[in-house]
């Protein structure tokens, strides 16, 4: 019989503690909520009032249920009031000394059988536990933010935790409606160890003015379907908390990529801790509010399209997945498109691929047959570069090999009319290398679509050191015309999305290789804890291990960052021909 935890103590009712108290009280558990002072109690109470009111507004609970929920919580400034509880969850700031002291005190107060949990994100549960006389009953119970919403709970087992205690805490988490994953005591556990390197990297990009905060966030939302961008997420987590998590991860890993970006410290010192203080990377309409308001930075990031060159027609070079996807996008938005391939047959076949894609939409009732006819009618297949001589923009989407692309750009340079824009949809090669193959580098730009182009909303607009501003404005305006979301960045390996995504995927492979967790647990942690649409191993198998390895090598060669060097396991799988779904075998068998 699983042990009943009828009454539970929560220490620290901040961002996490108040969410945890809500989860507990919602499950009918009596909660003893301990804050440091009256002000802390007031803040915690307010947080819970607002959060439960939102739940009422969204009709997740009714007013009566809300009253009952709030009625189950007793507020106190004294740890002594925890004397009768069955389990304690500590959620005070991420500071080892503070947590250790609280554990030592609580140990003296609660009954001998009481389990004491820490919600620490990165500190050693073992180190916290040794300050009690019951290290066997000390466990990490790491909830995710916002606790009432996120289902994952990482249950952290130390070398001395009693196995029965782990079983009890797992059963308890399940009873709360959560998805527990049991992990060992390592800084960052699964989810944060993989998440925070990525978040820190995004801060560094922002700090270097590589891209605006809006574009960094949009890149991950529209390029990877993440529920939130990295800077939005940091504002939610709290910059002070994020800083401490990175600090302790760095202390343990000595991985430079975990060393908190200097900007974080500056912002915290200035009181910009994120949503909780009403300002972080973004400005909010009040402390603890999720509503972003415009500030000086919002205007600065806007692109002025007044100087955009007129675009009446377009050309696409290539016949692959990306080329045909882009042709479909352009033709659907009303642009006449010249589709240039190496032979007439190939060009015709590529147009037939677009036709097939449109047929699917017609059969699903998403598109009228007459509209499909019109779209196909806008596409002109061609085998000669000269067919592109009159178009206003050419988008190149041939094989991802520099000499091939450079040859295409040299040919385009010969035939394109003056003022025509020459764009490449490369995902990893330097755009400036394509520009250098022409006599008009100012007209060359990157226009990185995502796969499948007709579905994915993101376009990364990559400006080289030579690209003219009106070319940037034109491609921005065109992207919006074809109903995409353009983001801007400089000409660096991986642009925004891949540069943020692949080091994280690589970290996941390294974690698997170190036998810290299974691929299933890692995928679950990232999906259920961080709301990502796919776990890293699912995604790697979809993208293709060879493609992923190539991108990781490009990133490593550009930045020479030790942490980016491809995981040996990934190299071995590629060598063995296990490339993911396309070969029926990758991290998983299909
Ligand atoms: N923010 C996140 O996204 C997140 C997610 C998972 C876990 N965590 C972890 O949860 C813990 C709390 O983080 P947070 O973001 O909620 O921090 P927070 O700053 O929002 O809240 C901490 C609360 O603890 C209170 N407190 C401080 N000293 C106290 C004491 N001696 N006794 C009682 N209360 C005290 C503070 O008044 C504050 O209300 C940290 O260990 C953090 O790493 C945070």
């Amino acid at each position: 019989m699983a042990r009943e935890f009828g009454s539970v103590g929560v220490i620290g009712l901040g961002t996490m503690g108040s969410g945890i108290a809500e989860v507990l009280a919602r499950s009918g558990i009596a909660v003893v909520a301990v804050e440091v002072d009256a002000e802390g109690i007031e803040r915690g109470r307010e947080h819970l009032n607002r959060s439960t009111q939102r739940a009422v507004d969204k009709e997740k609970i009714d007013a009566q249920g809300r009253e009952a929920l709030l009625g189950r919580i007793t507020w106190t400034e004294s740890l002594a009031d925890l004397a009768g509880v069955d389990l304690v969850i500590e959620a005070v700031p991420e500071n080892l000394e503070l947590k250790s002291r609280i554990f030592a005190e609580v140990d003296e107060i609660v009954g001998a059988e009481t389990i004491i949990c820490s919600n620490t994100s990165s500190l050693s549960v073992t180190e916290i536990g040794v300050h009690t006389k019951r290290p066997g009953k000390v466990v990490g119970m790491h909830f995710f933010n916002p606790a009432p919403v996120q289902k994952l709970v990482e249950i952290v087992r130390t070398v001395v935790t009693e196995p029965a205690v782990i079983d009890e805490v797992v059963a308890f988490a399940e009873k709360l409606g959560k998805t527990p994953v049991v992990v060992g005591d390592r800084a960052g556990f699964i989810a944060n160890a993989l998440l925070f390197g990525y978040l820190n990297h995004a801060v560094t990009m922002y700090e270097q003015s590589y891209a605006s905060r809006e574009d960094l966030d949009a890149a991950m939302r529209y390029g990877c379907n993440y529920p939130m961008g990295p800077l939005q997420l940091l504002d939610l987590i709290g910059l002070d908390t994020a800083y401490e998590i990175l600090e302790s991860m760095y202390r343990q890993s000595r991985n430079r990529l975990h060393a908190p970006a200097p900007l974080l410290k500056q912002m915290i010192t200035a009181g910009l801790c994120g949503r909780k203080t009403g300002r972080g990377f973004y400005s909010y309409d009040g402390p603890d509010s999720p509503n972003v308001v415009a500030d000086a930075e919002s205007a600065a990031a806007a692109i002025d399209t007044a100087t955009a060159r007129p675009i009446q027609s377009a050309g696409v070079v290539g016949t692959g997945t990306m080329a045909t996807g882009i042709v479909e996008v352009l033709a659907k938005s009303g642009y006449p498109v010249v589709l240039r391939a190496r032979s007439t047959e190939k060009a015709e076949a590529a147009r037939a691929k677009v036709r097939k894609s449109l047929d699917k939409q017609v059969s699903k009732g998403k598109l009228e047959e007459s509209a499909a006819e019109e779209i196909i009618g806008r596409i002109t297949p061609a085998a000669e570069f000269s067919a592109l001589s009159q178009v206003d923009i050419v988008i190149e989407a041939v094989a991802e090999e520099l000499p091939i692309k450079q040859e295409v750009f040299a040919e385009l340079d010969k035939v394109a009319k003056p003022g025509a824009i020459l764009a490449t949809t490369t995902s990893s090669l330097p755009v400036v290398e394509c520009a250098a193959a022409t006599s008009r580098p100012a007209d060359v730009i990157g226009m990185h679509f995502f796969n499948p182009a007709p579905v994915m909303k993101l376009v990364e607009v990559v400006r080289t050191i030579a690209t003219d501003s009106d070319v940037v404005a034109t491609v921005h305006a065109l992207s919006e015309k074809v109903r995409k979301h353009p983001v801007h960045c400089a000409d660096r390996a991986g642009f925004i999305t891949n540069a943020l995504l692949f080091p994280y995927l690589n970290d996941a492979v390294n974690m698997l290789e170190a036998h810290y967790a299974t691929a299933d647990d890692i995928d679950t942690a990232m999906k259920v804890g961080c709301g990502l649409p796919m776990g890293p191993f699912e995604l790697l198998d979809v993208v293709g291990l060879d493609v992923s390895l190539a991108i990781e090598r490009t990133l490593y060669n550009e930045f020479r960052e030790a942490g980016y060097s491809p995981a040996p396991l990934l190299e071995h799988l590629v060598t063995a021909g296990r490339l993911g779904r396309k070969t029926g075998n990758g991290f998983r068998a299909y």
Side-chain angles (χ1 to χ4, degrees):
M1 256 285 280
R3 184 159 142 197
E4 281 294 320
F5 296 97
S7 111
V8 173
V10 178
I11 311 173
L13 280 289
T15 309
M16 290 310 294
S18 49
I20 294 168
E22 184 178 335
V23 172
L24 296 167
R26 205 200 267 170
S27 298
I29 294 165
V31 179
V32 180
V34 190
E35 254 294 343
V36 68
D37 51 22
E39 205 184 303
I41 291 183
E42 200 39 46
R43 246 195 343 259
R45 227 194 259 276
E46 265 306 296
H47 193 113
L48 264 150
N49 283 343
R50 269 195 303 272
S51 164
T52 50
Q53 186 55 49
R54 277 199 296 271
V56 172
D57 295 344
K58 288 186 186 158
E59 294 181 359
K60 286 190 177 146
I61 49 172
D62 57 18
Q64 222 179 346
R66 174 174 184 250
E67 282 310 307
L69 187 162
L70 294 173
R72 285 187 202 107
I73 304 172
T74 323
W75 297 85
T76 171
E77 289 173 41
S78 166
L79 288 174
D81 292 330
L82 294 172
V85 303
D86 306 313
L87 183 141
V88 174
I89 303 173
E90 163 280 312
V92 302
E94 191 76 342
N95 176 300
L96 182 61
E97 203 230 335
L98 174 66
K99 289 188 193 276
S100 303
R101 185 161 51 78
I102 287 178
F103 268 66
E105 277 181 52
V106 171
D107 187 40
E108 297 293 333
I109 294 165
V110 298
E113 288 306 309
T114 299
I115 297 172
I116 317 179
C117 307
S118 174
N119 183 49
T120 180
S121 314
S122 58
L123 297 171
S124 160
V125 177
T126 315
E127 268 184 74
I128 298 172
V130 294
H131 294 273
T132 70
K133 294 188 200 81
R134 66 181 89 199
K137 292 190 168 52
V138 171
V139 183
M141 200 172 180
H142 182 227
F143 287 80
F144 286 73
N145 188 4
V149 179
Q150 301 289 8
K151 292 246 176 274
L152 186 72
V153 177
E154 287 172 327
I155 311 279
V156 186
R157 156 176 45 76
T158 75
V159 284
V160 288
T161 318
E162 296 162 19
V165 168
I166 291 295
D167 294 344
E168 283 170 340
V169 175
V170 166
F172 176 58
E174 281 168 349
K175 223 185 119 198
L176 296 175
K178 298 294 176 191
T179 306
V181 171
V182 178
V183 292
D185 190 15
R186 205 172 91 167
F189 315 126
I190 298 178
N192 283 350
L194 296 180
L195 184 69
F196 274 75
Y198 148 73
L199 295 178
N200 202 34
H201 190 182
V203 178
T204 303
M205 283 184 171
Y206 174 73
E207 192 171 27
Q208 296 170 339
S209 298
Y210 177 62
S212 70
R213 59 182 183 188
E214 286 83 1
D215 283 357
L216 285 165
D217 285 335
M220 296 316 282
R221 283 174 44 222
Y222 299 120
C224 300
N225 290 328
Y226 279 19
M228 266 192 178
L231 302 181
Q232 292 170 311
L233 180 55
L234 278 163
D235 272 0
L236 174 70
I237 291 170
L239 271 55
D240 48 347
T241 301
Y243 182 89
E244 293 305 328
I245 294 172
L246 281 164
E247 266 288 298
S248 43
M249 280 174 47
Y250 177 71
R251 266 198 307 274
Q252 202 173 94
S253 68
R254 291 291 154 190
N255 179 349
R256 217 192 55 80
L257 300 173
H258 295 155
L263 179 67
L264 282 173
K265 187 84 199 179
Q266 293 160 29
M267 291 178 70
I268 297 162
T269 310
L272 314 182
C273 291
R275 281 193 197 179
K276 60 182 160 193
T277 57
R279 241 194 102 183
F281 289 100
Y282 294 89
S283 302
Y284 300 85
D285 63 1
D288 240 341
S289 162
N291 305 319
V292 173
V293 292
D295 55 21
E297 226 177 297
S298 325
I303 293 276
D304 178 13
T305 52
T307 58
R309 300 178 189 176
I311 298 285
Q312 250 100 50
S313 61
V316 172
V317 183
T319 53
T321 316
M322 287 315 287
T324 53
I326 297 166
V327 168
E328 178 179 330
V329 168
L330 292 164
K332 251 189 178 166
S333 296
Y335 291 98
V337 191
V338 178
L339 193 176
R340 187 270 165 190
R342 275 168 296 175
S343 69
T344 316
E345 298 74 51
K346 284 196 169 115
E348 291 287 358
R351 183 170 63 172
K353 260 208 273 186
V354 179
R355 175 76 241 199
K356 211 169 143 196
S357 159
L358 296 175
D359 283 345
K360 259 196 221 152
Q361 296 159 49
V362 171
S363 68
K364 283 187 191 157
K366 287 185 181 159
L367 191 73
E368 293 285 333
E369 172 55 32
S370 58
E373 287 292 332
E374 266 177 49
I375 294 167
I376 284 297
R378 290 191 197 110
I379 305 170
T380 312
E384 304 301 328
F385 277 105
S386 56
L388 298 164
S389 65
Q390 291 312 308
V391 301
D392 299 314
I393 182 168
V394 182
I395 303 171
E396 165 280 310
V398 302
E400 189 74 351
E401 278 175 47
L402 193 55
I404 301 179
K405 291 201 189 278
Q406 282 176 318
E407 212 181 294
V408 169
F409 273 82
E411 290 299 326
L412 292 174
D413 190 34
K414 286 185 208 154
V415 300
K417 66 180 184 185
I421 291 172
L422 307 181
T424 170
T425 194
T426 181
S427 16
S428 59
L429 299 169
V431 177
V432 75
E433 295 272 12
C434 297
T438 72
S439 61
R440 46 176 120 188
D443 295 333
V444 177
I445 192 164
M447 199 175 176
H448 183 217
F449 284 85
F450 286 70
N451 189 12
V455 178
M456 298 298 288
K457 275 195 74 78
L458 187 69
V459 172
E460 286 176 324
V461 179
V462 185
R463 132 180 245 167
T464 76
I465 46 162
T467 311
D468 263 353
S469 293
D470 63 340
V471 172
V472 175
T474 311
V475 170
H476 183 93
L478 175 65
S479 304
E480 286 183 335
K481 275 258 177 59
V482 300
R483 289 192 286 278
K484 298 292 172 198
H485 188 109
V487 296
H488 296 262
C489 65
D491 187 17
R492 245 164 55 173
F495 310 134
I496 302 176
T497 307
N498 284 348
L500 286 176
L501 180 67
F502 281 89
Y504 142 72
L505 295 175
N506 197 42
D507 286 349
V509 180
N510 279 317
M511 182 181 274
L512 178 71
E513 202 169 358
H515 297 285
Y516 177 65
T518 64
D520 286 351
D521 279 351
I522 296 173
D523 277 352
T524 302
M526 298 318 285
K527 282 195 293 186
V528 182
C530 306
L532 305 189
M534 276 190 208
F537 298 104
E538 277 176 277
L539 184 58
L540 281 162
D541 275 356
V542 169
V543 172
L545 272 45
D546 50 343
V547 174
S548 304
L549 180 61
I551 296 174
E552 288 180 7
R553 282 188 178 141
T554 308
L555 286 171
Y556 177 70
N557 287 333
E558 176 125 325
F559 299 106
R560 305 297 161 110
E561 195 58 81
Y564 292 174
S565 68
L569 176 61
L570 185 66
E571 307 236 17
H572 292 176
L573 287 167
V574 172
T575 308
R578 289 174 57 167
L579 307 183
R581 282 204 199 167
K582 60 186 167 189
T583 57
N585 222 323
F587 283 99
R588 298 198 172 85
Y590 297 88

